[in-house]
Amino acid sequence: MLNMKLKERLALAISAFLVLFTLMLIVDIQMDYGNFANKVPLPLHARVHSGDLEDKGRSAYIEFRKRFLQKSNGSNGSREYEQSAPGETSGGGTDAEPRTPAPPTDRYEDLQKIILSQLQGKAEDHTVVIPPHRDLNILRPENPTIGEMEDLEPSINASNLERFQLKIAQHELYEDGEPLVDEILKDMATNSILHVEQKEGGTQLKLIIDYPNGVQALFKPMRFARDVQTLPNHFYFSDYERHNAEIAAFHLDRILGFRRAMPVVGRVLNMTTEIYDVTEGDILKTFFVSPANNFCFHGKCSYYCDTGHAICGNPDMLEGSFAAFLPSSDIAERKVWRHPWRRSYHKRRKAPWELQSDYCDTVRTTPPYDSGRRMLDLMDMSIYDFLSGNMDRHHYETFKMFGNETFTLHLDQGRAFGKAFHDELSILAPLLQCCLVRHTTLSLLLKFHNGVPLSKVLRESLKLDPVNPILWEPHLVALDRRVLIILDAIRNCVNKAESPLQNEVNDFV
Ligand SMILES: Nc1ncnc2c1ncn2[C@@H]1O[C@H](COP(=O)(O)OP(=O)(O)OP(=O)(O)O)[C@@H](O)[C@H]1O
Ligand SMILES: [Mn+2]
């Protein structure tokens, strides 16, 4: 009898547990749906889309965005999600935990196949993936250096930077593995600072740092902690510049094999002895001690150069980024180009690329984009900027002496790495609208996706910087997510190129 009761009780307990467990599962699933429903059709998103509707079917990037959002409804999870907390900082708590990406289920074998066949000398006329033998950056029939062009040789006691500058070549700033890069980084991080002055022009405060032997660096000060995000109501053009973005962007450019960004390093300065004591002029009048007893200054510029936006030490130690100076214009003049996919820099106006469906065709048929490497460089730049979230690419520069067949410099990455939880697809517009990518760039992205993730490679590289950690972990996590988005975009282009009709039908499904 007692035995029976015990058995009954046990059976009862098990069934109660099972019922509870099932209930919990249902609640859990519902919460998931709830979350998702909250995430996608938010009013915030809707506002973005209201503009998009006018352009329905006109902009390739909007098409991609639509398809992309649809796709993220499935097993891949939501890949574009807005910052949930609109605060200035996202806080250090659970947000800072690295979100381990799911193991890749899709290895992009279709894209790998293209890479492989091009390496075997096939698929050479591919319209989307440009093979090495049609890429001037790989062919490099000539690759003279500034020193060779100007008939200049470094003197015996020339600085590392001067040697570096004379070695800048037609197709890249420095060679893969160039030892002078590390030397320059070390020099800028450790050499004594002789003189400091504010850089004229530009929108935000920057200092020109003079070291012994004529070496110079461009200094951008630290304003915020690493986890402070772009203010949600700030446009890209009123975003603050971040010194750590400059450091991270240099490493990223090098990892991606572009080598189009000047070396940048982090360093902590004593504001009294390494800035105040070695500068003169108007900037001195902007130094003050804040109520928190920190030493501050604001300099003079057209944005954020006032007491309310001062740069403050802790209490008088200030971190910043030091970018190696480009050769002076006496040696190597630069040409400034308007970026064809420049944003409007107006809070209501749109740029031409946002309005014209055939915008890329117009660019592609206009010199210098109609031949050579320039168009491919813009595609690389779009990928580089999308990965780092840099929306501020209004102009770009090249070295005049090399003509049009030269690389585009990656200058001014101060507004990158501002939103770790948002992937700004419009930065990919050049790639989405032109459907063009270098074989070498695609090959590298596939390598990151299927092998050691980009986040890991960048994290390791940044460890070499004196003020590491350089990036807040969610920014690194974002990189792997964005690699996937770029690969999706390229796949989309390839599919469209291979069966344009079928895809046109799909567009409207
Ligand atoms: N490493 C460098 N060496 C020498 N000059 C540089 C270097 N980097 C940038 N410059 C020059 O300084 C100018 C301003 O730099 P940067 O673009 O970083 O500042 P900015 O204040 O963000 O300018 P803007 O607000 O116009 O974008 C650039 O146009 C470029 O010509
Ligand atoms: Mn800028």
Side-chain angles (χ1 to χ4, degrees):
M1 189 73 184
L2 196 74
N3 237 350
M4 280 292 285
K5 259 192 175 169
L6 255 180
K7 261 188 195 165
E8 268 173 22
R9 271 189 211 163
L10 206 66
L12 212 69
I14 290 172
S15 14
F17 173 74
L18 280 175
V19 168
L20 264 173
F21 187 69
T22 320
L23 267 172
M24 271 166 65
L25 267 181
I26 291 169
V27 169
D28 196 37
I29 287 168
Q30 277 181 344
M31 273 172 75
D32 258 353
Y33 273 118
N35 258 346
F36 189 70
N38 274 343
K39 232 169 248 171
V40 179
L42 269 181
L44 196 77
H45 246 102
R47 214 179 306 150
V48 176
H49 274 252
S50 68
D52 293 351
L53 284 176
E54 297 160 25
D55 299 324
K56 195 178 175 195
R58 284 200 283 159
S59 295
Y61 90 88
I62 290 166
E63 284 302 330
F64 177 74
R65 189 195 167 106
K66 266 196 300 198
R67 208 164 327 161
F68 171 79
L69 283 174
Q70 266 167 18
K71 210 175 147 190
S72 54
N73 203 339
S75 56
N76 281 331
S78 172
R79 289 196 224 129
E80 188 194 52
Y81 94 81
E82 305 285 342
Q83 255 174 279
S84 45
E88 193 171 314
T89 155
S90 305
T94 46
D95 266 4
E97 289 293 315
R99 288 189 299 149
T100 331
T105 44
D106 185 348
R107 297 179 63 84
Y108 290 87
E109 271 156 20
D110 47 342
L111 299 182
Q112 283 189 64
K113 228 186 230 167
I114 299 173
I115 292 296
L116 205 67
S117 63
Q118 288 188 339
L119 288 177
Q120 295 165 344
K122 290 178 270 175
E124 296 198 328
D125 55 349
H126 208 280
T127 52
V128 178
V129 186
I130 305 305
H133 92 275
R134 277 169 49 208
D135 183 353
L136 271 173
N137 185 36
I138 304 298
L139 293 174
R140 301 186 180 184
E142 286 175 303
N143 194 24
T145 64
I146 289 180
E148 286 160 6
M149 295 286 284
E150 299 292 293
D151 220 359
L152 291 169
E153 291 223 357
S155 51
I156 299 168
N157 53 1
S159 65
N160 289 320
L161 180 58
E162 192 185 333
R163 288 173 203 277
F164 177 95
Q165 290 173 340
L166 292 178
K167 284 183 82 177
I168 293 175
Q170 181 176 352
H171 290 288
E172 58 190 4
L173 276 173
Y174 54 94
E175 280 177 8
D176 190 10
E178 169 63 67
L180 279 171
V181 173
D182 284 342
E183 296 297 325
I184 292 173
L185 293 176
K186 197 171 117 218
D187 287 349
M188 292 192 296
T190 56
N191 280 357
S192 58
I193 292 171
L194 298 183
H195 186 258
V196 167
E197 74 178 58
Q198 205 186 317
K199 190 178 190 310
E200 296 295 322
T203 50
Q204 294 182 40
L205 181 118
K206 280 174 294 297
L207 303 175
I208 297 175
I209 309 285
D210 282 312
Y211 298 93
N213 219 356
V215 173
Q216 289 189 309
L218 192 65
F219 172 89
K220 293 192 180 183
M222 168 168 165
R223 282 184 178 273
F224 307 107
R226 304 287 197 264
D227 60 355
V228 175
Q229 304 280 286
T230 299
L231 289 171
N233 289 323
H234 265 194
F235 282 96
Y236 45 89
F237 49 81
S238 36
D239 189 18
Y240 293 101
E241 298 217 302
R242 286 168 288 276
H243 75 301
N244 59 323
E246 291 282 5
I247 303 170
F250 153 64
H251 285 257
L252 179 63
D253 167 89
R254 182 167 61 169
I255 288 166
L256 293 172
F258 297 148
R259 297 186 290 278
R260 297 168 205 160
M262 283 299 271
V264 186
V265 75
R267 173 174 179 169
V268 179
L269 291 184
N270 179 317
M271 288 173 71
T272 312
T273 59
E274 292 175 309
I275 302 181
Y276 189 83
D277 288 351
V278 291
T279 191
E280 67 269 331
D282 286 350
I283 190 173
L284 282 177
K285 295 181 202 145
T286 74
F287 279 80
F288 63 95
V289 175
S290 77
N293 259 336
N294 291 321
F295 199 24
C296 307
F297 74 111
H298 57 70
K300 292 203 164 148
C301 60
S302 48
Y303 254 70
Y304 307 132
C305 280
D306 52 57
T307 319
H309 301 94
I311 292 142
C312 294
N314 182 19
D316 65 345
M317 298 303 282
L318 175 69
E319 190 179 298
S321 65
F322 295 72
F325 239 59
L326 289 156
S328 78
S329 55
D330 304 343
I331 296 173
E333 220 182 314
R334 299 193 301 276
K335 189 173 163 77
V336 181
W337 305 78
R338 271 176 80 99
H339 196 298
W341 276 267
R342 181 184 198 268
R343 290 171 194 279
S344 75
Y345 287 81
H346 186 282
K347 56 182 173 288
R348 285 184 302 271
R349 225 169 283 147
K350 283 197 174 197
W353 60 268
E354 295 175 273
L355 301 166
Q356 298 164 20
S357 60
D358 57 350
Y359 187 74
C360 183
D361 293 338
T362 318
V363 178
R364 274 179 118 150
T365 48
T366 313
Y369 306 103
D370 59 344
S371 68
R373 63 173 288 165
R374 187 64 56 87
M375 201 64 183
L376 293 172
D377 279 10
L378 289 194
M379 299 303 125
D380 283 345
M381 208 186 284
S382 155
I383 288 170
Y384 176 55
D385 287 340
F386 176 69
L387 286 171
S388 63
N390 180 14
M391 298 176 77
D392 190 31
R393 195 64 76 185
H394 42 92
H395 289 86
Y396 67 88
E397 301 184 22
T398 58
F399 288 107
K400 254 187 190 162
M401 69 176 77
F402 299 130
N404 285 346
E405 274 331 313
T406 185
F407 67 96
T408 54
L409 277 158
H410 290 166
L411 281 188
D412 187 13
Q413 278 77 240
R415 287 186 175 121
F417 298 105
K419 291 185 176 183
F421 303 110
H422 170 78
D423 307 324
E424 183 52 52
L425 276 179
S426 66
I427 308 174
L428 263 192
L431 177 75
L432 295 171
Q433 295 186 333
C434 300
C435 276
L436 200 62
V437 66
R438 279 199 159 101
H439 167 108
T440 43
T441 307
L442 171 60
S443 168
L444 203 62
L445 291 172
L446 284 166
K447 225 175 74 191
F448 291 132
H449 176 65
N450 291 323
V452 184
L454 178 55
S455 61
K456 186 155 193 256
V457 183
L458 183 59
R459 193 185 292 111
E460 288 306 309
S461 181
L462 292 175
K463 279 184 186 161
L464 302 172
D465 192 276
V467 301
N468 189 58
I470 303 299
L471 284 182
W472 188 39
E473 192 58 33
H475 286 299
L476 287 161
V477 173
L479 288 171
D480 301 331
R481 199 173 65 224
R482 291 170 190 164
V483 166
L484 213 78
I485 296 173
I486 301 167
L487 290 175
D488 263 359
I490 297 171
R491 168 180 279 166
N492 220 39
C493 284
V494 170
N495 289 345
K496 224 188 238 175
E498 280 169 3
S499 44
L501 264 178
Q502 196 193 331
N503 270 278
E504 214 152 285
V505 173
N506 282 344
D507 276 350
F508 297 99
V509 169

